[in-house]
Amino acid sequence: MSKQLYLSKIFKSLNRYAEYFAGVQTQHDLAIGIERVIDELFDQQYSGIYLYDFEAKKLRLHIARGLTEEERLEAERTAMDRHPGDVFRNNKVLYIPDTDKDTKSSTITSKRSFNVKSRIYAPILSGGKPVGVIGIVSDKPNMFDGLDMDLLLFICNLAGIFSTILNQITELKAANEEISSLSKFPTENPNPIMRIDYKHTLVYANIASQPYLNTHKLSIGMNITGDFRAAVTESMLTNEVVELEVRDVNAIYLFVITPVKESRHLNIYGINITERKVIENELRKSSMIAEKTDNAIIITDEFGATEYVNESFTRMSGYSIQDMIGLKPGKLLQGKDTDKKTSKIIRKAIDDGKSASVEILNYTKDGDPYWIKMELQPIFNNKNELTNFTSIQTDITQEKNLEKN
């Protein structure tokens, strides 16, 4: 083939190469495109296209022409410890016309079914940083010359440009997805989210805000009034977060007002706390009753951590609410002679959200043993969600002592 025809073939091939890469979506697509142009332009039997996996911190062998799958995996596993890794790290071309004359032992061949006699390896650079390596190999010596080396470098440079574009597209897609996700957040949030400017004008409200706005006859573009206006003014003047509890006819809201001074607006995040308030009121009523009973009463959260004890419990055990708060009662009350099977019954009832009735040996703060009969009951909200446990305890030490006698 004449030099002119050969150059014409090169440019036609590179033109197809560029057209293909315009639609590349993944690193593997990139490797396939490189393989196609190498097959057209080089008289080679074997080729390897490595692209760097920045998460795994290793070279991935995407294309391994002439290798079995087992040989490909071995070549990939050892790549960073052999000449592909050296080329990647040093950003230099490796050209061995005849491996038998390689006195410096510049290369280490992975296990394969043929003998390598000549090879060229060149780095793929993106923004001056290595992102991969391309290698062409033959089982015959002196199969490649300087023109082959220059051509491979040119292909590597093009691959680097397309790799940069691919990374930018990937980053742009990720950024757009993040922006899209964030933009949907206020709209899809089940809680009220609003924005008010420094003129006290409501400029944004999501769908969940409508029940509150309807009750107060507010809409976008109107000025807020009353306690809400006062709380917003306080947040503006102090540049600090302000909380406001608002009671409507049908609901109770807690609003957190957050100033954004640079943009001269305030973001308002609300939550409907009606149910929580109902539970708090019920617990407050229960605690008032509990203070008047002789029985010890413990109220825990759904996981069994103490939230409340009455005075009778303190008199019975010696432990105050400050001693118990946040702890599981058994941690302080149970001791060396407490029956482990009974402890497991209590633990299982809490795990399963069920009631239990047991007799158990506890210990006071001073270490004195005493027997109780305990009635454990779960508490559920109106959505049938477990919220608390109550433990009502009766001192049966005297009865137990009489049984012994």
Side-chain angles (χ1 to χ4, degrees):
M1 183 183 294
S2 69
K3 184 176 181 182
Q4 186 176 359
L5 287 174
Y6 182 60
L7 289 175
S8 176
K9 178 183 177 184
I10 289 174
F11 286 123
K12 285 181 180 178
S13 180
L14 291 177
N15 184 52
R16 287 194 298 273
Y17 176 56
E19 289 177 355
Y20 170 82
F21 275 95
V24 160
Q25 298 290 322
T26 66
Q27 278 199 329
H28 194 67
D29 291 342
L30 181 66
I32 291 172
I34 296 170
E35 180 191 28
R36 287 178 181 177
V37 76
I38 286 175
D39 283 347
E40 285 190 34
L41 297 180
F42 292 96
D43 183 14
Q44 44 81 40
Q45 298 160 300
Y46 313 100
S47 59
I49 301 167
Y50 297 85
L51 295 175
Y52 192 68
D53 184 334
F54 286 91
E55 289 187 6
K57 296 183 179 180
K58 62 184 287 187
L59 286 168
R60 298 280 188 193
L61 183 51
H62 287 265
I63 303 295
R65 184 180 177 186
L67 299 185
T68 65
E69 179 60 13
E70 184 180 354
E71 290 169 346
R72 186 196 70 79
L73 291 172
E74 176 65 13
E76 179 179 281
R77 186 184 67 80
T78 59
M80 294 301 290
D81 300 322
R82 298 184 296 105
H83 48 277
D86 292 336
V87 171
F88 177 81
R89 285 186 290 269
N90 299 324
N91 297 345
K92 291 182 180 179
V93 176
L94 175 69
Y95 175 38
I96 309 293
D98 188 345
T99 57
D100 290 337
K101 296 178 181 179
D102 180 20
T103 55
K104 295 181 180 179
S105 299
S106 305
T107 61
I108 301 172
T109 303
S110 60
K111 289 182 180 180
R112 58 192 65 188
S113 57
F114 59 92
N115 292 321
V116 175
K117 292 299 182 180
S118 56
R119 57 165 47 109
I120 306 176
Y121 276 75
I124 302 172
L125 301 179
S126 174
K129 296 181 180 179
V131 294
V133 175
I134 301 175
I136 54 175
V137 174
S138 176
D139 60 3
K140 298 179 180 64
N142 303 307
M143 281 298 294
F144 310 114
D145 57 21
L147 179 61
D148 292 320
M149 185 167 65
D150 291 341
L151 187 55
L152 184 62
L153 268 174
F154 184 72
I155 292 169
C156 284
N157 288 335
L158 280 179
I161 292 169
F162 285 115
S163 177
T164 300
I165 295 170
L166 178 60
N167 289 336
Q168 290 173 344
I169 291 172
T170 302
E171 290 173 3
L172 183 61
K173 282 182 178 178
N176 285 337
E177 287 173 3
E178 181 68 15
I179 291 169
S180 176
S181 175
L182 288 173
S183 67
K184 291 178 182 177
F185 171 72
T187 306
E188 296 176 351
N189 196 303
N191 296 313
I193 296 178
M194 294 177 277
R195 177 171 289 180
I196 293 173
D197 66 18
Y198 269 34
K199 295 179 181 179
H200 296 91
T201 304
L202 179 65
V203 295
Y204 171 82
N206 69 347
I207 295 171
S209 303
Q210 286 307 311
Y212 173 82
L213 297 179
N214 293 340
T215 301
H216 292 268
K217 298 180 180 179
L218 276 172
S219 60
I220 304 288
M222 294 180 66
N223 286 351
I224 57 170
T225 58
D227 291 341
F228 216 141
R229 185 186 182 96
V232 166
T233 302
E234 180 187 346
S235 183
M236 275 193 289
L237 294 176
T238 62
N239 198 35
E240 293 182 354
V241 174
V242 172
E243 291 186 0
L244 175 67
E245 189 174 298
V246 178
R247 292 176 178 268
D248 280 346
V249 177
N250 299 316
I252 305 171
Y253 294 94
L254 176 66
F255 289 106
V256 179
I257 304 168
T258 306
V260 185
K261 192 173 182 180
E262 299 79 9
S263 303
R264 296 184 63 78
H265 68 254
L266 303 97
N267 290 334
I268 299 173
Y269 306 96
I271 184 169
N272 189 325
I273 60 170
T274 308
E275 187 175 302
R276 191 175 83 188
K277 284 294 181 181
V278 169
I279 292 172
E280 285 178 0
N281 287 336
E282 290 300 318
L283 289 175
R284 191 177 295 111
K285 291 176 185 176
S286 298
S287 66
M288 290 174 64
I289 296 170
E291 292 303 332
K292 297 177 182 180
T293 182
D294 291 332
N295 291 326
I297 295 178
I298 302 175
I299 298 176
T300 73
D301 63 16
E302 68 269 36
F303 303 109
T306 304
E307 293 185 344
Y308 167 84
V309 299
N310 68 349
E311 290 183 5
S312 294
F313 172 83
T314 300
R315 287 194 298 270
M316 187 181 296
S317 68
Y319 288 106
S320 67
I321 190 167
Q322 289 78 17
D323 295 324
M324 298 294 296
I325 200 78
L327 298 177
K328 294 182 178 180
K331 185 172 182 180
L332 294 180
L333 299 175
Q334 295 171 16
K336 61 177 183 177
D337 291 328
T338 301
D339 184 55
K340 291 182 180 179
K341 290 182 180 179
T342 306
S343 298
K344 286 182 179 179
I345 291 172
I346 298 170
R347 181 70 263 164
K348 191 173 189 310
I350 292 172
D351 290 342
D352 295 343
K354 295 183 177 179
S355 60
S357 178
V358 297
E359 293 181 356
I360 191 169
L361 181 67
N362 281 346
Y363 289 82
T364 67
K365 191 172 183 179
D366 293 331
D368 298 324
Y370 69 100
W371 281 91
I372 61 163
K373 181 174 182 179
M374 183 179 80
E375 299 292 338
L376 182 71
Q377 291 293 335
I379 298 175
F380 298 90
N381 61 19
N382 57 12
K383 295 179 182 178
N384 203 35
E385 297 169 336
L386 179 65
T387 60
N388 300 89
F389 283 94
T390 60
S391 171
I392 301 175
Q393 303 175 0
T394 306
D395 191 332
I396 58 170
T397 306
Q398 188 173 353
E399 289 90 325
K400 286 289 183 179
N401 289 337
L402 287 174
E403 288 176 9
K404 283 184 181 180
N405 298 330

